[in-house]
Amino acid sequence: MKVLIIENDHGIIEAVELTFQIRWPEVKLISTNLGEKGVELVEREKPDVVILDLGLDDISGFEVLKQIRLFSAVPVLILTVKTDESDIIRGLEWGADDYVVKPFRQMELLSRIKALTRRRGAFLTETPLTCGHLQLDPSTGQLFYDEKEINLTPTERAILTYLMKNSGQVVTHHNLAESVWGDDYPDAANSLKVYIRRLREKIEADPGHPEIILTKTGVGYMLARPPV
């Protein structure tokens, strides 16, 4: 297991390294504070996961992500001090698999990384799911709405898989977070809100007035059961 950290704050790099040394010592860590160097390391070192800061000194984290996605599908978890949802959405649109907002809990960061690596093989034995016009093959990540193919990030795939398996039932924030990340966190509901918004933009005719993924205020979400 090899993890590449692209981060310009040496304090954060040291904190992440210490966390791995204590909790996951078998992981090999590589780090750089420069985006261009980070892209080179992804190509040369072939890491299993990339932890990417959006606020780098030489080029933006968005540009790093864009360059990585030209040649690699490595899972990328972005770190950001930006709490503007539009910045997070932009990172997901450019190919990030998950995100954590600084300041972050170290155990949450480790759990998110473990979830990303676990998902790479977890879906291989899953059977295709169908719910109304939605058809999802978890093993390949292919989602079809009618005949239109829709690209999903691994996190979006995990969320939609759980919702489709429980279509017509209200899924709580707690249960959905545990299914996706292996644990529930104080900010998990906010993270789920971002991903649900992204999924709605991809599959709803009018994301502002959803008819497929419904919100149950204060409780969670429900994938509407298609009419018989």
Side-chain angles (χ1 to χ4, degrees):
M1 179 71 179
K2 187 185 300 183
V3 175
L4 170 62
I5 308 169
I6 308 175
E7 165 66 60
N8 71 343
D9 187 325
H10 291 288
I12 290 180
I13 292 177
E14 290 177 358
V16 172
E17 289 177 341
L18 181 60
T19 301
F20 272 97
Q21 289 170 9
I22 295 173
R23 304 286 184 176
W24 204 355
E26 63 270 27
V27 172
K28 178 181 179 181
L29 296 176
I30 308 167
S31 66
T32 178
N33 63 341
L34 298 176
E36 292 284 6
K37 181 67 174 178
V39 174
E40 294 176 9
L41 288 171
V42 171
E43 189 167 15
R44 185 173 74 240
E45 297 291 338
K46 304 293 189 300
D48 296 286
V49 176
V50 174
I51 300 174
L52 173 63
D53 178 24
L54 290 181
L56 300 170
D57 293 332
D58 55 344
I59 60 175
S60 75
F62 296 115
E63 181 60 28
V64 173
L65 183 56
K66 182 178 178 181
Q67 291 186 31
I68 289 173
R69 285 294 175 250
L70 292 176
F71 65 88
S72 176
V74 60
V76 176
L77 183 144
I78 54 176
L79 298 181
T80 175
V81 294
K82 303 176 187 294
T83 55
D84 188 342
E85 192 173 310
S86 63
D87 290 311
I88 297 169
I89 292 293
R90 183 182 173 194
L92 297 175
E93 287 176 342
W94 285 24
D97 298 289
D98 204 349
Y99 76 92
V100 171
V101 176
K102 302 175 187 176
F104 53 84
R105 296 168 181 82
Q106 294 178 351
M107 291 307 299
E108 177 182 359
L109 179 67
L110 285 185
S111 294
R112 294 290 185 97
I113 293 170
K114 289 180 178 180
L116 284 176
T117 58
R118 186 173 62 246
R119 286 182 208 138
R120 301 184 78 174
F123 292 115
L124 294 180
T125 59
E126 292 275 4
T127 57
L129 301 168
T130 300
C131 184
H133 296 283
L134 292 175
Q135 293 181 315
L136 173 64
D137 186 344
S139 66
T140 63
Q142 288 180 307
L143 173 67
F144 288 90
Y145 184 74
D146 289 333
E147 296 183 356
K148 178 184 177 184
E149 184 173 6
I150 300 170
N151 294 321
L152 299 178
T153 68
T155 303
E156 291 169 349
R157 187 198 322 180
I159 290 172
L160 190 57
T161 296
Y162 194 76
L163 289 175
M164 291 182 73
K165 286 181 176 180
N166 296 276
S167 64
Q169 304 175 46
V170 176
V171 173
T172 65
H173 295 125
H174 173 78
N175 288 342
L176 187 52
E178 283 201 331
S179 172
V180 174
W181 295 300
D183 203 348
D184 191 8
Y185 301 100
D187 296 327
N190 290 329
S191 294
L192 290 171
K193 178 182 175 182
V194 172
Y195 286 107
I196 293 295
R197 173 183 164 185
R198 281 287 293 150
L199 284 168
R200 284 172 172 161
E201 289 174 348
K202 292 181 176 184
I203 65 177
E204 299 275 5
D206 182 359
H209 298 85
E211 297 181 351
I212 301 174
I213 302 177
L214 309 178
T215 297
K216 298 301 178 180
T217 305
V219 180
Y221 301 97
M222 181 178 77
L223 192 71
R225 190 185 297 276
V228 179

